[in-house]
Amino acid sequence: MASNRRPGTAEQPRTGTSSGRPTSRDVARRASVSQATVSLVLGGKWEGRVSPRTAETVRDAAQALGYRPNLSARSLRLGRTRTALLVVPALTHDYFARVHAGASRIAAEHDFGVVLYPSPEGIGPAVDPFGSARAALDGVIASSMAPDALAALREGGLPLVMLDTDPEGDRAVATVNLDIADGMRQVAGHLLGLGHRRLAHLAAAVDTWTFGVRAHSLAQAVALEPGAELRTEPSDLSVEDALRGATRALTADPRPTAVICDDDLLAAGACKAARRLGLRVPEDVSVTGFDDLSLATALEPELTTVRLPAEAVGAAGMRALLDVLAGREANAPVLPVQLVRRGSTAEPPSES
Amino acid sequence: MASNRRPGTAEQPRTGTSSGRPTSRDVARRASVSQATVSLVLGGKWEGRVSPRTAETVRDAAQALGYRPNLSARSLRLGRTRTALLVVPALTHDYFARVHAGASRIAAEHDFGVVLYPSPEGIGPAVDPFGSARAALDGVIASSMAPDALAALREGGLPLVMLDTDPEGDRAVATVNLDIADGMRQVAGHLLGLGHRRLAHLAAAVDTWTFGVRAHSLAQAVALEPGAELRTEPSDLSVEDALRGATRALTADPRPTAVICDDDLLAAGACKAARRLGLRVPEDVSVTGFDDLSLATALEPELTTVRLPAEAVGAAGMRALLDVLAGREANAPVLPVQLVRRGSTAEPPSES
DNA sequence: ATGAAAGCGCTAACAA
DNA sequence: TTGTTAGCGCTTTCAT
């Protein structure tokens, strides 16, 4: 007879003071009922099947022992883990922190957990998110990922909800998107309406759907305005590189009167560049951001930018995943975005 | 004979094409070996116990089936989950994002996972982190938490490593701290050395160890300098409230020549306040931050601030937890911090 | 209203 | 070198 490491808890006296964490059997013994009854009561599905008196006893015993169910065991038994993986490009960017908050909120409401996987950029995308997450997962939500990074995620065989990603081509079970194109249109409309005609686009040098749309939508909007011109300057997604890119843009001749940035981070760099060139924002040059990070209002002047409902995106993503897991149809909304006019934009200088 | 939901996979023909995810038994069947052999081979502890040829066969079978071990089952069997909970007050603050990055990096190196629990501030601290995390955990790392929030964490019965928290009183298995006091001393020394004598402290109105130390250490350093005086203005941890607090501080008579902020966020608010009052930074008033967030260099002028090795803190915390879990002694370092002098500080205006 | 028993997928001790 | 077997803690069916 093969004896395992732990030689069977059978001989334990009913005092129940077993060595490790108390199990449902400990609770059962203490309440003098069966394990099944404990499960029923603590699982909240006892009504009409267990007498209220017994239920009370069980709850007391659980309380007294400090019982907490073993989630591994439950997951194993149930075949589901009530846990989702949220994959984001970076956590330091507070858009993603807010997406996470939204997803977590909805998850918690449905007794789900969210584990985060900040896809390592520097280390290369070859890392296995499923292995690294080290959690048993029911589904995956991925935000703003590059196409090749998404490929790895689809391998998992788990339901995949994509956020802020090209809805075509990749068959996720659902895609929650932002109306990025409209956001950029609002930016262009705002600046053109103020009278700007020489525009610079400080464009994020990142190959994702969201930035592609920004570039395309902006170009289109400007093309529709006679006499307006647009120059594009690429930049890494960092203040430092944006400073360089914006400096190039602002030292062009003739100088643009407005710099449209793909991200608030870039806009911060643009503001720095302007100030270092002795230009005032917004009197000499207008600057716009995108995302409405907390950074946008930390700057002076505050950034005119496009507010993305990050929390709502995360929430909608989680809801979509829950729908799919429950066998329901997931709806894949496109969430509206809104221009927020603040201090960094104004009419162009009179003698442009 | 009680029949469960799934009526035993026994009758499955050896083709192995069972409905769900392949299990180690499927792999075993396909490789014509026992489940034990599969476990040995895939667990990497086969050398000298399984022939290389068989091992190869097993790996091929696993590959072909796309086998991925069921982590719930493994955790259940092993009694450990290789997962740690990281509790932070907020994710939008990029100090904590970096702590998470550090912890995750070390975790990954040891085949551990990290699940994040951003302790809900608004919703009240009553929420159960263990329940919400919905993961089976081996230990907990908590950063910069208020004492009462920590109490709940100690209930879990899991090893608890604290970061940036009062080392006295609460018996965590280890505490990783920053030399916050020294950081504040460096700030004070820097400003006093530049000639500042009227100082304002924009103090975070948050009851945690880290901010207590900042206040105390600053007060002490200033007290040591004859003729130097310090006024304290409390502020919530937001740019918006800092703007108000700094405005109060800067409209006092006589006006302070330097504003020392507990956090870069507050410093950003102070800079806004200064500018709105028509004061130049640093010519009219010096401003210092704390933490060296990415925000510090997004501003113009860039903030003089104290760099906290957030990544190292997270890494050290995870190492300490791993040590404890392995039965080793955990060492609890105090990590040094360093003043970074940038553009937001200068000598006080000549006629103060 | 309650209990007995089976089994989720895995690992490890032991037998062969 | 490989296979057999027990059992981690839980939920659920079926029997009582």
Side-chain angles (χ1 to χ4, degrees), chain B residues 196-214:
Chain B
H196 292 271
R197 286 301 175 270
R198 286 200 307 282
L199 308 173
H201 179 204
L202 193 56
V206 175
D207 177 31
T208 56
W209 177 81
T210 194
F211 291 119
V213 171
R214 292 172 205 206

Side-chain angles (χ1 to χ4, degrees), chain B residues 333-349:
Chain B
V334 174
L335 304 177
V337 304
Q338 196 178 13
L339 180 74
V340 182
R341 299 167 193 216
R342 287 196 277 242
S344 69
T345 50
E347 295 180 0

Side-chain angles (χ1 to χ4, degrees), chain A residues 2 4 23-24 35-36 39 67 69-70 73-74 77:
Chain A
N4 254 339
T23 74
S24 73
Q35 220 186 352
S39 179
Y67 170 71
N70 180 318
R74 177 181 293 175
R77 175 66 232 245

Side-chain angles (χ1 to χ4, degrees), chain B residues 241-254:
Chain B
D241 202 56
L243 172 59
R244 282 191 288 270
T247 301
R248 283 195 301 273
L250 289 172
T251 48
D253 185 22

Side-chain angles (χ1 to χ4, degrees), chain B residues 20-108:
Chain B
R21 242 171 77 172
T23 75
S24 73
R25 270 227 306 254
D26 295 329
V27 177
R29 263 199 295 268
R30 191 173 219 270
S32 308
V33 297
S34 78
Q35 219 187 349
T37 306
V38 172
S39 180
L40 249 24
V41 171
L42 267 34
K45 41 190 82 169
W46 57 279
E47 303 212 52
R49 305 214 259 162
V50 174
S51 78
R53 209 163 116 36
T54 312
E56 188 61 22
T57 317
V58 169
R59 268 192 295 264
D60 287 351
Q63 175 86 39
L65 257 33
Y67 169 72
R68 312 186 31 39
N70 180 318
L71 294 180
S72 301
R74 178 183 294 181
S75 296
L76 177 58
R77 175 66 234 239
L78 261 23
R80 284 158 307 110
T81 60
R82 307 189 78 78
T83 301
L85 182 71
L86 176 62
V87 185
V88 297
L91 252 191
T92 32
H93 200 286
D94 79 14
Y95 170 79
F96 297 114
R98 282 153 55 205
V99 168
H100 174 256
S104 296
R105 186 170 54 79
I106 300 302

Side-chain angles (χ1 to χ4, degrees), chain A:
Chain A
M1 194 182 309
S3 88
N4 254 339
R5 188 161 44 88
R6 311 186 199 181
T9 47
E11 265 50 73
Q12 204 67 233
R14 133 174 7 162
T15 59
T17 319
S18 84
S19 52
R21 244 171 76 171
T23 74
S24 73
R25 269 226 306 254
D26 295 329
V27 177
R29 263 200 295 268
R30 191 175 220 270
S32 308
V33 298
S34 78
Q35 220 186 352
T37 306
V38 172
S39 179
L40 250 24
V41 171
L42 267 33
K45 41 190 83 169
W46 59 278
E47 303 212 52
R49 305 214 258 162
V50 175
S51 77
R53 206 161 120 36
T54 314
E56 189 60 23
T57 316
V58 168
R59 269 193 294 263
D60 287 351
Q63 175 87 39
L65 258 32
Y67 170 71
R68 314 190 27 47
N70 180 318
L71 295 180
S72 302
R74 177 181 293 175
S75 295
L76 176 58
R77 175 66 232 245
L78 261 24
R80 284 159 308 110
T81 60
R82 307 188 78 77
T83 302
L85 181 72
L86 176 62
V87 184
V88 297
L91 251 191
T92 32
H93 200 287
D94 80 11
Y95 170 79
F96 297 114
R98 280 153 56 205
V99 169
H100 174 258
S104 296
R105 185 170 54 79
I106 301 301
E109 285 174 11
H110 295 80
D111 202 24
F112 256 68
V114 174
V115 355
L116 205 57
Y117 183 69
S119 180
E121 301 153 301
I123 313 173
V127 198
D128 170 23
F130 302 106
S132 330
R134 285 222 48 94
L137 302 171
D138 283 349
V140 179
I141 304 175
S143 179
S144 317
M145 301 299 294
D148 55 342
L150 276 172
L153 291 175
R154 262 184 277 100
E155 296 306 301
L158 293 171
L160 169 65
V161 171
M162 304 194 309
L163 312 179
D164 189 26
T165 308
D166 189 354
E168 314 295 336
D170 282 315
R171 63 198 174 289
V173 299
T175 305
V176 174
N177 264 335
L178 294 163
D179 200 345
I180 299 291
D182 181 57
M184 210 36 130
R185 251 179 266 124
Q186 292 184 50
V187 171
H190 172 57
L191 290 171
L192 292 170
L194 286 169
H196 292 272
R197 287 300 176 269
R198 286 199 309 280
L199 308 173
H201 179 204
L202 193 56
V206 175
D207 177 30
T208 57
W209 177 80
T210 194
F211 292 119
V213 172
R214 292 172 204 206
H216 184 252
S217 166
L218 175 59
Q220 229 174 18
V222 173
L224 254 44
E225 182 78 23
E229 55 190 62
L230 177 70
R231 293 192 51 149
T232 296
E233 194 71 50
S235 166
D236 288 348
L237 213 40
S238 76
V239 173
E240 198 184 21
D241 203 56
L243 171 59
R244 283 191 287 271
T247 302
R248 284 194 301 273
L250 289 172
T251 48
D253 186 23
R255 163 185 305 134
T257 62
V259 181
I260 296 161
C261 304
D262 265 354
D263 186 286
D264 288 344
L265 228 55
L266 300 184
C271 289
K272 281 178 81 168
R275 211 163 275 141
R276 291 190 180 183
L277 291 169
L279 300 169
R280 292 161 304 164
V281 176
E283 293 84 353
D284 299 317
V285 57
S286 287
V287 173
T288 64
F290 214 102
D291 290 0
D292 197 23
L293 307 184
S294 56
L295 174 60
T297 51
L299 298 174
E300 178 71 22
E302 298 182 347
L303 290 178
T304 292
T305 187
V306 175
R307 171 170 302 159
L308 305 186
E311 231 258 348
V313 171
M318 191 67 197
R319 271 194 219 98
L321 183 58
L322 290 170
D323 283 344
V324 171
L325 291 176
R328 277 173 262 133
E329 186 77 11
N331 73 329
V334 173
L335 303 177
V337 303
Q338 196 177 11
L339 180 73
V340 182
R341 300 168 193 216
R342 288 196 277 240
S344 70
T345 49
E347 295 181 357
S350 49
E351 59 215 306
S352 72

